[in-house]
Amino acid sequence: MLKFKHSLAALAAVSALLVGGAAIAAGGGTPQKGKSLGEEGYQWHAGGGEEDEALHLKPDLANGKEVYEVCSACHQMEGWGLTDGTFPQLAGQHPKVVIKQLADIRALNRDNPTMYPFALPSQIGGPQAIADVAAYMAVKLKMNPEPGVGDGKDLAHGKKLYEENCTRCHGADGAGDNDKFYPRIQGQHYEYLLRQYQWIKEGKRRNANPDMMKQIQSFTDRDTKAVLDYTSRLKPPANLVAPKGWKNPDFQ
């Protein structure tokens, strides 16, 4: 059973981990908004603050498990989120991507007002906690073997669009790049991808990569659905995927 304080925090924690990055406020818990998309001086990945601190710390997986308890009520014990896209899959995500997104939320460079109060140092700890939980997700959580997908009616079109537009950053198989902070999008729930994609296109994901935002402006509704349906079906390496019915042994 979850600890009581963790349960309360988790019930309100709504997380989203895809493309992002911006100037990070100095560590310590006082948020500072960075430059938004379209503003002069905006940098997609400026680094600094808690992000840089967490990146240089040795992760403690035991503490990562404790921190993950806060996340598990929404993202599930296995880190699979929900196939309807309400919550994304976090299992198997690159640790640098997780670190960046948590640091951005805490610094108010990525808007997530529901999650923000529960992601603060007073709730989960400082940069060490960010490093710990990011490593725990990457190392201990196996990915959902049956992620949410689209209707499968336009996959050839989606494949063409993916190969022409997405491989440079996310790779041919959707694996992303830990060192470049590009997220793993293979096996991510279709409905979640659809929502975040739309927010990026509309400028609501303030820490999104501006190159991606520009690139997708010309995509039609058909293009969007097709490419994201195809993306959701990209297969992660077998060693990252859990068997059907897998339960996280840390919470049994």
Side-chain angles (χ1 to χ4, degrees), residues 99-111:
I99 287 171
K100 166 173 284 302
Q101 295 303 316
L102 276 173
D104 270 2
I105 289 169
R106 281 156 66 123
L108 295 178
N109 290 320
R110 175 175 173 178
D111 296 320

Side-chain angles (χ1 to χ4, degrees), residues 124-135:
I124 64 171
Q128 183 68 59
I130 294 177
D132 296 346
V133 75

Side-chain angles (χ1 to χ4, degrees), residues 177-196:
D177 189 319
N178 183 53
D179 288 334
K180 293 181 179 180
F181 300 88
Y182 294 130
R184 184 185 303 281
I185 55 175
Q186 56 191 187
Q188 184 58 268
H189 303 307
Y190 167 75
E191 292 290 346
Y192 175 76
L193 290 172
L194 191 63
R195 185 172 72 252
Q196 294 301 311

Side-chain angles (χ1 to χ4, degrees), residues 22 41 75 249:
H75 295 284

Side-chain angles (χ1 to χ4, degrees), residues 60-68 124 128-130 132-133 136:
D60 178 345
L61 292 180
N63 186 56
K65 171 190 169 183
E66 295 297 314
V67 176
Y68 185 73
I124 64 171
Q128 183 68 59
I130 294 177
D132 296 346
V133 75
Y136 179 82

Side-chain angles (χ1 to χ4, degrees), residues 13-19 68 71-72 74-95 97-98 101 110 133-134 136-138 140-149 173-175 183-196 205 231-246 248:
V14 180
S15 174
L17 300 169
L18 276 177
V19 180
Y68 185 73
C71 314
S72 64
C74 291
H75 295 284
Q76 313 302 305
M77 297 295 189
E78 291 68 44
W80 292 359
L82 298 177
T83 57
D84 67 3
T86 305
F87 304 109
Q89 172 162 229
L90 302 181
Q93 188 55 265
H94 297 304
V97 172
V98 175
Q101 295 303 316
R110 175 175 173 178
V133 75
Y136 179 82
M137 292 176 193
K140 292 292 188 176
L141 300 181
K142 295 294 184 179
M143 297 180 70
N144 189 344
E146 298 178 312
V149 296
D173 59 356
R184 184 185 303 281
I185 55 175
Q186 56 191 187
Q188 184 58 268
H189 303 307
Y190 167 75
E191 292 290 346
Y192 175 76
L193 290 172
L194 191 63
R195 185 172 72 252
Q196 294 301 311
R205 274 287 296 263
T231 300
S232 69
R233 297 167 189 268
L234 292 171
K235 302 298 184 184
N239 66 305
L240 297 183
V241 181
K244 292 182 181 179
W246 181 76
N248 186 348

